Amino acid sequence: LTNPEYLNMVDILRDVADLVALAVGNCILFGRSEYERERLGTLYKTAVALSGSSLKVSEVIQIAADTSLILGNTPHCAILMFDQQKQSLHMAAFKGLDGNSLAEFDLGVDSTVAGRTIISGKTEYVADALRYQHSMPRGTSGNPFGSIVAVPMMHEHDPMGVIMLFSTDLRGFHREQVELLESLAQQVTNALYVAFTHESATAQTMQDAHTGLYNRWHFEEALQKEIERSQRHKRDLALLIVDIDHLSRVNDLLGQEKGDVVIKHVAKIIKSSLRDIDIPCRYGSEEFAIVLPETAEQSALEVAERLRQRIRSEAAPGIGMITVSIGIAAASANSETSGTALVKFAEEALDVAKFEGRDRVKAHEGVTTDPGRIPWEELARQAKLAVVSERQSRLQNRLSLTPEYAPWMRATPGWGNKKKPNE
């Protein structure tokens, strides 16, 4: 250890190690600065996009959803709008949420994350959200969310809504991301206020921003009203639930942007295939619900079959042939079927349609009298188990999801192609 040559070599190695550490530190700092610069650029592009005075509320909400995914570095978000008169929240747009779990999403103002945000006017960050599993939706992966950010949209101290982001990781959001989301929320709030002054707020909050169809909140209200009307006037009523077959494969193989193209394509066909009195709604991520007033079961079967065939025959741009499975539930003129029961029956029929091979129409059946056939209740139970098992199996092999860049953000060549510093 006293050898001068040895000591000299140790000093040289220490100097080299210090230089390497400095170089690595500089690379990390540079990577982080590029990462943050990209997100600041996203915020700037959003500000430019929202500055147009002719924007519709649905367009503002869509921009808010697209941008929040990028700033939060997550594929899961929801835009909630606040109804001043009813003092309640409803979902105006969402991405990356499991449609089957939306019914579990507690949109009340009391004792919820979004509600506390509305009341306090301050951002709520829940780093460990597993205790909220019973009142939150799940991701398309089927997994519960580990962390949640809820950012209020406040205009002159009046709540307009909440931007909610979800991550399946614990402590999935950083302080810098939350600050950017707060800046986004202020921009979106101002744009919403301008948009609301040019169009009916009620009409817009009934729409799903992504498809232009009615949203799930409006569906639930409309279904209840139609059931009451059908029972009062002794009219038939039918409900269709349409599910896009294997949309997850499109997302996995071609990207979520192509999956969005498929959703819009199917929504456009649905909208153009129905009567003016029919009520088409976006029911879940890849599901649509259609209320058919004054329609008996046989007529509903014919409508559903025509719709299925048309979707199958009209290729989605850049993707090709798309198929759907459709479940039907009908309430006769003299029945006392509730909205909850009608939805349950249609979902059971949809599960059976998927269980039997997809790309087909299936109507809910009552008590089976044929001793040679499996009882409907047992068939529906087996179908449900098979669908759940298939989903879980698919999720185990699914590639990790990444946020997408909306087309209006790609004006600059190479935009959105930069990697994060840890990639």
Side-chain angles (χ1 to χ4, degrees):
L1 293 177
T2 59
N3 189 322
E5 293 184 359
Y6 176 80
L7 293 176
N8 187 43
M9 180 62 68
V10 170
D11 290 338
I12 292 174
L13 290 174
R14 284 175 177 170
D15 290 340
V16 171
D18 290 341
L19 289 172
V20 171
L22 180 62
V24 171
N26 287 336
C27 288
I28 292 174
L29 288 174
F30 177 76
R32 286 179 177 173
S33 66
E34 286 292 290
Y35 184 65
E36 294 307 319
R37 185 176 69 84
E38 183 173 322
R39 267 141 184 78
L40 288 173
T42 297
L43 201 59
Y44 170 74
K45 282 180 172 283
T46 302
V48 173
L50 292 174
S51 63
S53 59
S54 61
L55 283 176
K56 297 180 180 179
V57 172
S58 60
E59 293 171 338
V60 175
I61 291 174
Q62 186 64 54
I63 290 173
D66 288 334
T67 309
S68 63
L69 291 179
I70 296 170
L71 298 182
N73 191 29
T74 177
H76 316 287
C77 78
I79 308 297
L80 309 181
M81 298 303 295
F82 182 66
D83 189 322
Q84 293 279 3
Q85 293 182 342
K86 296 183 178 180
Q87 291 292 296
S88 62
L89 290 160
H90 64 269
M91 191 151 46
F94 64 90
K95 284 198 172 184
L97 303 183
D98 177 35
N100 293 327
S101 68
L102 293 181
E104 304 170 13
F105 196 180
D106 187 351
L107 297 178
V109 176
D110 298 330
S111 303
T112 64
V113 175
R116 291 199 302 269
T117 301
I118 285 290
I119 294 171
S120 68
K122 297 180 181 179
T123 298
E124 286 273 340
Y125 177 27
V126 183
D128 183 357
L130 294 179
R131 63 181 182 275
Y132 291 102
Q133 286 188 53
H134 65 281
S135 61
M136 285 292 169
R138 296 183 297 277
T140 51
S141 62
N143 295 325
F145 292 120
S147 49
I148 303 168
V149 171
V151 185
M153 295 184 287
M154 308 290 292
H155 180 74
E156 298 180 352
H157 306 292
D158 291 328
M160 295 188 71
V162 180
I163 298 176
M164 293 195 73
L165 271 76
F166 310 88
S167 173
T168 53
D169 299 324
L170 297 176
R171 295 173 291 279
F173 302 99
H174 305 296
R175 178 175 57 83
E176 295 82 2
Q177 292 173 315
V178 174
E179 290 175 351
L180 288 175
L181 288 168
E182 289 174 339
S183 297
L184 169 66
Q186 188 57 55
Q187 294 177 6
V188 171
T189 300
N190 294 335
L192 280 173
Y193 180 76
V194 173
F196 273 126
T197 61
H198 289 87
E199 56 186 278
S200 168
T202 303
Q204 285 298 315
T205 54
M206 293 191 307
Q207 278 191 338
D208 172 67
H210 191 57
T211 61
L213 302 180
Y214 293 113
N215 58 28
R216 182 158 181 161
W217 171 72
H218 179 69
F219 161 72
E220 292 172 352
E221 286 203 343
L223 179 61
Q224 185 59 38
K225 289 180 181 178
E226 289 300 327
I227 286 178
E228 292 172 358
R229 193 173 70 88
S230 69
Q231 292 176 352
R232 184 168 59 250
H233 298 290
K234 303 300 180 182
R235 303 285 188 180
D236 292 325
L237 178 69
L239 172 66
L240 313 183
I241 295 185
V242 183
D243 181 85
I244 302 174
D245 294 333
H246 303 302
L247 181 65
S248 59
R249 294 183 184 176
V250 177
N251 289 331
D252 292 343
L253 298 176
L254 303 179
Q256 287 192 340
E257 182 177 333
K258 291 295 186 182
D260 288 347
V261 170
V262 172
I263 292 171
K264 291 179 180 179
H265 172 73
V266 172
K268 183 179 179 180
I269 293 177
I270 289 175
K271 193 171 184 179
S272 63
S273 301
L274 301 175
R275 306 168 299 178
D276 291 340
I277 65 170
D278 298 330
I279 307 171
C281 312
R282 189 176 184 191
Y283 183 70
S285 181
E286 63 259 34
E287 291 181 334
F288 304 90
I290 305 171
V291 181
L292 302 176
E294 302 186 14
T295 304
E297 181 175 304
Q298 184 56 42
S299 297
L301 281 165
E302 295 171 1
V303 171
E305 185 59 24
R306 284 198 303 269
L307 181 61
R308 183 193 68 82
Q309 292 182 10
R310 183 178 172 189
I311 292 172
R312 198 177 198 280
S313 62
E314 296 184 17
I319 293 99
M321 185 182 72
I322 298 297
T323 64
V324 296
S325 301
I326 303 178
I328 301 175
S332 64
N334 297 315
S335 71
E336 296 292 331
T337 306
S338 67
T340 302
L342 203 63
V343 170
K344 177 178 179 291
F345 294 159
E347 288 179 339
E348 286 181 356
L350 176 62
D351 286 340
V352 173
K354 292 194 288 186
F355 178 61
E356 293 182 348
R358 292 184 168 84
D359 187 22
R360 65 194 63 212
V361 173
K362 195 72 178 180
H364 180 270
E365 298 177 8
V367 178
T368 304
T369 57
D370 186 350
R373 295 183 59 188
I374 182 172
W376 173 262
E377 294 79 5
E378 178 61 19
L379 179 61
R381 188 188 68 83
Q382 291 182 13
K384 182 67 175 179
L385 291 175
V387 169
V388 172
S389 176
E390 179 188 10
R391 184 184 299 120
Q392 291 176 343
S393 176
R394 182 180 70 242
L395 297 175
Q396 290 175 357
N397 301 309
R398 174 170 288 180
L399 298 175
S400 61
L401 298 173
T402 55
E404 296 181 327
Y405 289 86
W408 55 269
M409 290 183 178
R410 297 200 180 102
T412 304
W415 180 263
N417 293 327
K418 297 172 185 176
K419 294 184 178 181
K420 304 175 195 175
N422 62 344
E423 289 183 333

